[in-house]
Amino acid sequence: MSNTADVIIIGAGIVGSSLAAELAKYFKNVVVLERDEIANYASTSNYGMVWLQTRFPGFDTMMARRSQEIYEEKIADGEFDIDIEYEKRGGLTIAFDDRQIEVMKKQCKEKQKGGTPMAVISREDTLRLEPALNPDIAGAIFCAEDARINPLVTTFAFANLARKRGATFVHGAEVVKILMSESGSKVIGVSTTKGDYYAPVVVNAAGVWCRQIGKMVGMDIPVFPNRLQSLVTEPVEKYTISRIVQCAREIEGDDMDPEKAMGFLFEITGEQTEENLPKDPVEDTIFTYVQQSLSGTIVIGTTNEFIGYDIRTTPKALYAMMKPAIKLFPVIRDANIIRTWASVIPFTYDGKPFVGPSGLEGFILACGHGHAIAHAPTAAEQIAQYLTKGTIDPLMAQASISRLKKK
């Protein structure tokens, strides 16, 4: 293989792989450098949620909507050579008391203004959708447009499509240096553990390691690792959970913020540094998701912890996740746990990724995607448009790293 390329992409997760598939339509020689294997980190360990109800209005929701369209287009056109298990059965957020229902109605009203088709449904309608749920529920938010995919398979589907279009993936190629022109004004390639590669464009799609890559060119990209812990049970054949179901958090005191009850909203002030990241007890970081795989196993998550790159699981966290999961679906109580795992996903202070030109010629950002499954195909489309036409999509402009200077 030649050590020169039109575009080099650092990272072969869902972001890097979908970008490679898109860029390979326009460039003859796209090279993806991955220090391990395709989908080796966050892209294998998330919950495959291409949801709308949990996305913030504006940028977040619009990115997810377009990604849904791209997934559906590629499936309809037969571009994927494997089934990515895309389903649009809607998503449920379950309430157990009237206070949660009250907050849900408030949240639905606000998000409906932005076009998200979500509504509070009754206990009876919720149980018709998911009969295995605890009959003591009070109701739920239901969004019929929420979809899910198999994240691991989807990443490989994009990688296969990229290869079909001529892209090359190099495994075991850890980037150790960004190569610069003599003047230091532009990027010309990268040095890796498998040698040097040269290209006029280098894309930083390194996920939670994008900050380390940025520092190689003197750039501080404030993206931090957010640990998610998860577990999976043995197959449960007697019951079927048809969609991803999440459990609303308990509402404490007078705090009726919908985003805290229906999602996990971080309150962060000060500089965008590791020191200012939340350091809550793990049991206070839980937001429970439950879904059943095609094999019948039940997947449960997750924590939202900021403890660096530690990907060990902890008994305290697993117990804290199991309690609301069993409350949602009592059948889980009798199922054996067969595996636990943890991974880290990117986190940014304002919830937006960093996408597009970096300010350094030839160095492009595609990183910080905390919701990469719901954002990656759209970001790939935007970057391809920029590199081929020089135009900046309005959504990509919102994800520009230049917003840090404005703050």
Side-chain angles (χ1 to χ4, degrees):
M1 183 192 77
S2 171
N3 65 344
T4 61
D6 297 314
V7 181
I8 291 171
I9 299 170
I10 302 172
I14 185 69
V15 175
S17 295
S18 60
L19 180 57
E22 187 67 17
L23 292 182
K25 293 193 300 185
Y26 308 101
F27 298 96
K28 289 184 178 180
N29 192 359
V30 175
V31 174
V32 183
L33 302 175
E34 168 56 49
R35 72 177 188 177
D36 290 301
E37 300 291 335
I38 294 171
N40 212 43
Y41 295 98
S43 298
T44 68
S45 53
N46 64 77
Y47 307 103
M49 299 169 70
V50 195
W51 273 28
L52 300 183
Q53 69 166 284
T54 50
R55 303 282 70 83
F56 291 112
F59 174 86
D60 202 11
T61 299
M62 294 172 72
M63 291 288 287
R65 278 190 176 280
R66 178 56 190 149
S67 289
Q68 283 190 354
E69 293 172 355
I70 293 171
Y71 286 128
E72 292 168 6
E73 289 166 4
K74 291 190 179 301
I75 292 168
D77 294 342
E79 292 188 57
F80 291 142
D81 61 354
I82 46 181
D83 180 9
I84 67 170
E85 301 172 19
Y86 181 88
E87 297 178 330
K88 188 182 278 187
R89 294 185 179 181
L92 285 169
T93 302
I94 307 299
F96 279 91
D97 58 52
D98 292 340
R99 293 192 75 202
Q100 289 175 326
I101 292 291
E102 182 183 347
V103 174
M104 285 179 168
K105 289 179 178 178
K106 179 180 177 182
Q107 186 185 43
C108 286
K109 184 177 180 180
E110 290 300 314
K111 291 195 174 181
Q112 284 167 356
K113 294 177 183 177
T116 301
M118 54 193 283
V120 175
I121 61 175
S122 68
R123 169 186 175 275
E124 291 73 22
D125 286 341
T126 305
L127 290 173
R128 274 192 283 272
L129 289 172
E130 293 291 347
L133 276 165
N134 187 335
D136 292 337
I137 64 171
I141 288 176
F142 178 64
C143 179
E145 295 297 306
D146 289 344
R148 67 176 177 178
I149 58 176
N150 183 316
L152 172 62
V153 173
T154 302
T155 305
F156 274 97
F158 274 117
N160 291 350
L161 178 59
R163 289 194 188 100
K164 181 180 177 181
R165 291 173 173 170
T168 301
F169 285 72
V170 184
H171 304 288
E174 182 176 359
V175 173
V176 295
K177 183 181 179 181
I178 304 294
L179 301 176
M180 306 289 292
S181 63
E182 288 186 10
S183 65
S185 62
K186 62 181 179 180
V187 168
I188 61 171
V190 300
S191 288
T192 80
T193 51
K194 284 197 169 181
D196 293 346
Y197 295 83
Y198 297 90
V201 176
V202 174
V203 183
N204 182 355
V208 291
W209 289 275
C210 70
R211 196 176 187 195
Q212 288 87 326
I213 298 296
K215 288 179 179 178
M216 295 179 186
V217 294
M219 183 178 299
D220 187 14
I221 306 171
V223 173
F224 308 95
N226 176 14
R227 183 170 75 174
L228 312 183
Q229 296 192 47
S230 309
L231 57 91
V232 63
T233 74
E234 64 188 346
V236 178
E237 299 176 357
K238 187 177 179 180
Y239 297 90
T240 301
I241 303 171
S242 301
R243 53 188 54 78
I244 298 177
V245 180
Q246 62 180 19
C247 186
R249 307 182 88 203
E250 293 183 7
I251 298 172
E252 299 179 356
D254 297 325
D255 193 348
M256 301 289 279
D257 188 328
E259 297 301 338
K260 289 183 181 179
M262 305 304 125
F264 200 89
L265 181 67
F266 297 98
E267 292 185 349
I268 306 175
T269 59
E271 296 295 320
Q272 298 187 31
T273 64
E274 293 93 339
E275 290 74 22
N276 284 328
L277 291 168
K279 298 295 187 292
D280 299 327
V282 67
E283 56 270 25
D284 293 338
T285 76
I286 303 295
F287 196 78
T288 299
Y289 301 89
V290 179
Q291 67 171 309
Q292 193 166 24
S293 70
L294 293 180
S295 65
T297 60
I298 295 176
V299 180
I300 300 166
T302 179
T303 61
N304 289 272
E305 306 167 83
F306 297 100
I307 57 169
Y309 292 88
D310 185 346
I311 56 171
R312 293 173 293 181
T313 58
T314 62
K316 183 180 288 188
L318 299 176
Y319 175 74
M321 286 188 293
M322 284 298 297
K323 285 181 66 178
I326 291 171
K327 186 178 181 181
L328 282 174
F329 294 99
V331 64
I332 295 175
R333 184 186 302 275
D334 299 322
N336 292 316
I337 298 170
I338 60 174
R339 185 166 68 93
T340 67
W341 72 93
S343 186
V344 284
I345 65 169
F347 172 83
T348 63
Y349 270 56
D350 63 2
K352 292 179 182 177
F354 296 105
V355 183
S358 67
L360 173 63
E361 185 178 347
F363 193 59
I364 306 298
L365 303 180
C367 51
H369 293 86
H371 307 293
I373 291 296
H375 285 188
T378 305
E381 197 173 60
Q382 294 166 353
I383 292 171
Q385 177 179 290
Y386 172 71
L387 292 178
T388 57
K389 299 179 181 179
T391 55
I392 294 179
D393 182 274
L395 284 179
M396 190 172 82
Q398 292 186 43
S400 171
I401 197 166
S402 65
R403 70 184 188 269
L404 298 178
K405 296 178 183 179
K406 294 176 182 178
K407 288 184 179 180

